[in-house]
Amino acid sequence: MRDILQSVLLAVEKVLVWVAVVAMTVLMLLTTADAISRYIFNAPITGAYEVTEKYLMTAGIFLAFSYSYRGDVFIRVSFLINKFAVGPKLVCDYLAQFATLAYCVFFAYATFDQAVTGMAEGSNLSALPLPLAPTYFLVPIGFVAMTVLVLVDIPKVPTGESRLMPPEEGEGSQAGV
């Protein structure tokens, strides 16, 4: 059962990451095309800035949350915690895991509520008749994906396998900064 859950989570994460990668690629291409069009032809692409800001950047950042968590790229300041004995360190690790879980749940709920409100308002981009509601739902999707990963990692805290506080690789490593 655990292997099935891990494979499902990995598959969902891959889809989210690929959407984020495509969004960032389109963002770069659109920004480059807009800059060329603006400065060479004196004709900027209508709505390029808004599409970049409201759709592409949102997808690129929030849909990659789970990948960032699994990839150990969050900043940690662990020099003090690593000085603790095993018992207090484990308590601090659990506190960090549950605080992160609470943070993710809170923001998943709050951003979903905001997305529903935004959808009810029916607002559009100012330069193009594109609805903003789809982009509002990208944020809670990213937080829900991260919430699930943090939740699945709770049993891994005692063994040091949680992605929130991976084992130190040595002095000066990124994880120990």
Side-chain angles (χ1 to χ4, degrees):
M1 179 68 175
R2 187 177 184 139
D3 291 336
I4 294 171
L5 177 64
Q6 287 293 350
S7 61
V8 167
L9 289 175
L10 199 56
V12 169
E13 183 181 318
K14 282 183 180 182
V15 169
L16 294 177
V17 168
W18 274 108
V19 172
V21 166
V22 168
M24 293 310 270
T25 302
V26 171
L27 182 144
M28 290 186 295
L29 294 172
L30 181 59
T31 302
T32 302
D34 186 45
I36 290 170
S37 180
R38 177 182 312 270
Y39 294 113
I40 294 177
F41 304 114
N42 200 23
I45 298 173
T46 304
Y49 178 76
E50 276 190 307
V51 168
T52 298
E53 177 189 30
K54 305 284 190 206
Y55 279 92
L56 302 174
M57 209 171 278
T58 304
I61 292 169
F62 289 100
L63 295 182
F65 266 7
S66 60
Y67 180 78
S68 301
Y69 178 78
R70 195 183 297 265
D72 297 334
V73 298
F74 290 124
I75 297 171
R76 289 176 289 281
V77 181
S78 57
F79 68 90
L80 180 62
I81 295 293
N82 290 336
K83 307 287 186 212
F84 287 1
V86 174
K89 184 179 184 310
L90 185 60
V91 169
C92 289
D93 287 348
Y94 269 116
L95 286 173
Q97 195 79 27
F98 282 109
T100 303
L101 180 63
Y103 171 84
C104 290
V105 168
F106 172 76
F107 279 105
Y109 174 77
T111 56
F112 180 76
D113 186 51
Q114 184 64 36
V116 170
T117 302
M119 192 169 91
E121 290 174 357
S123 55
N124 292 333
L125 296 177
S126 62
L128 296 172
L130 292 175
L132 283 171
T135 191
Y136 291 150
F137 284 98
L138 296 175
V139 179
I141 288 170
F143 276 111
V144 166
M146 180 130 166
T147 299
V148 171
L149 286 178
V150 171
L151 188 61
V152 167
D153 267 2
I154 289 174
K156 299 176 183 178
V157 170
T159 61
E161 296 174 0
S162 169
R163 303 315 292 171
L164 191 59
M165 42 280 193
E168 297 297 315
E169 296 174 12
E171 290 297 314
S173 70
Q174 180 184 356
V177 174

